[in-house]
Amino acid sequence: MDRKTKILIVEDEMIIAANISLQLNELGYEVTGIVPRGEEALMHIKSELPDILLLDINLKGTLDGIETAREMQKTYDIPVIYLTANADEAHFNRARETHPYGFITKPFKKLDLQRAIELTITQIDLKVKNINGTDPNEEGLILSDCIFVRHLNSMVKVNIKDILYIEAERNYCRIFTKRKEYLLVLTLKEMDKKLPSKHFHRIHRSFIVNLSQIEEIATSHIVIGRKPIPISKSIKKELLQRLQTI
């Protein structure tokens, strides 16, 4: 069964936000949360990474929607769809600098929302396919102490010791460090084969963890970077044996 697309709603008009959430659930998407402020959105993303950000431009608070997107993009690469009741040229030009995947003008119909999200998912998949068409050696060069990953238009060095965990997303995976996350066009199975085994262990069908970054081992999960990651009883036993040897 395919994983549901996760969407975070950042909207300070709660009636509108609740209505959007209801529509998204009816369309088969998973709403990771509804938050009214940009600052809260940035905190939410740290603990529950969405696939798409539905972001109202005219947020109250310290950060408006466009400034929230800019702050988010310093660390994450999450597609943004803006919601706006004010589609004037000035707002559009400011918003365009953050390279959004779409705009939805209020008031909007369920079909407008559906089409914007479907187009965004299509663009994400196309982006992944385009990256897949590049030289595989350029996409993810895995060495004994670091990984070179494509980030925007260049190859970035990520030290093995700085990686917290790696999470599967469809046919690619996300590498999480304390400061940034990177998209890599490899399945988690392929990633598991290439990573230096002395540092990493696959503890779930969707997660590979850096053994040195484990902060807590609970009954049914471990904690890394304040994120709980599920683990089965059999793999937990295997993990404890691994930890005794490093």
Side-chain angles (χ1 to χ4, degrees), residues 173-188:
C173 50
R174 289 186 186 273
I175 298 173
F176 291 83
T177 68
K178 288 182 180 178
R179 295 186 178 181
K180 286 185 179 290
E181 54 99 3
Y182 304 93
L183 180 70
L184 193 60
V185 185
L186 284 175
T187 64
L188 202 68

Side-chain angles (χ1 to χ4, degrees), residues 67-127:
E67 289 161 343
T68 300
R70 284 201 189 107
E71 284 298 310
M72 178 274 292
Q73 288 170 348
K74 290 178 181 177
T75 307
Y76 302 97
D77 182 19
I78 303 171
V80 171
I81 300 173
Y82 283 120
L83 307 171
T84 179
N86 187 354
D88 63 30
E89 196 72 14
H91 279 85
F92 177 78
N93 287 335
R94 275 186 66 222
R96 187 170 57 180
E97 293 173 1
T98 62
H99 309 291
Y101 280 63
F103 287 85
I104 303 176
T105 305
K106 301 176 188 176
F108 54 85
K109 298 175 183 177
K110 184 177 180 180
L111 187 60
D112 298 329
L113 185 65
Q114 182 178 356
R115 283 176 174 168
I117 292 169
E118 286 178 358
L119 284 170
T120 298
I121 292 170
T122 299
Q123 289 182 69
I124 294 168
D125 290 342
L126 185 62
K127 182 179 177 182

Side-chain angles (χ1 to χ4, degrees), residues 15-202:
I15 294 175
I16 292 175
N19 185 45
I20 292 170
S21 179
L22 180 63
Q23 291 178 358
L24 291 177
N25 286 321
E26 288 174 353
L27 290 168
Y29 300 115
E30 179 183 338
V31 176
T32 65
I34 299 173
V35 294
R37 298 285 185 271
E39 299 87 344
E40 292 175 47
L42 296 174
M43 291 297 294
H44 179 96
I45 289 167
K46 287 182 181 178
S47 59
E48 182 70 32
L49 191 75
D51 298 306
I52 296 172
L53 204 58
L54 272 181
L55 184 57
D56 183 27
I57 285 180
N58 298 306
L59 292 174
K60 299 178 181 71
T62 307
L63 303 174
D64 69 7
I66 298 167
E67 289 161 343
T68 300
R70 284 201 189 107
E71 284 298 310
M72 178 274 292
Q73 288 170 348
K74 290 178 181 177
T75 307
Y76 302 97
D77 182 19
I78 303 171
V80 171
I81 300 173
Y82 283 120
L83 307 171
T84 179
N86 187 354
D88 63 30
E89 196 72 14
H91 279 85
F92 177 78
N93 287 335
R94 275 186 66 222
R96 187 170 57 180
E97 293 173 1
T98 62
H99 309 291
Y101 280 63
F103 287 85
I104 303 176
T105 305
K106 301 176 188 176
F108 54 85
K109 298 175 183 177
K110 184 177 180 180
L111 187 60
D112 298 329
L113 185 65
Q114 182 178 356
R115 283 176 174 168
I117 292 169
E118 286 178 358
L119 284 170
T120 298
I121 292 170
T122 299
Q123 289 182 69
I124 294 168
D125 290 342
L126 185 62
K127 182 179 177 182
V128 170
K129 286 177 184 175
N130 286 340
I131 295 173
N132 264 328
T134 61
D135 182 343
N137 293 320
E138 289 186 2
E139 177 48 35
L141 180 60
I142 301 175
L143 306 176
S144 60
D145 62 345
C146 67
I147 301 175
F148 281 90
V149 298
R150 185 173 295 281
H151 185 64
L152 301 177
N153 295 318
S154 62
M155 298 296 287
V156 178
K157 181 181 178 180
V158 181
N159 289 321
I160 292 289
K161 62 182 177 61
D162 294 332
I163 295 173
L164 301 177
Y165 60 90
I166 302 163
E167 182 175 5
E169 288 198 20
R170 299 188 185 92
N171 292 322
Y172 54 99
C173 50
R174 289 186 186 273
I175 298 173
F176 291 83
T177 68
K178 288 182 180 178
R179 295 186 178 181
K180 286 185 179 290
E181 54 99 3
Y182 304 93
L183 180 70
L184 193 60
V185 185
L186 284 175
T187 64
L188 202 68
K189 184 178 179 180
E190 291 170 327
M191 193 74 177
D192 194 23
K193 289 177 183 176
K194 294 186 175 187
L195 285 168
S197 59
K198 68 177 182 178
H199 296 291
F200 295 94
H201 195 75
R202 187 168 182 175

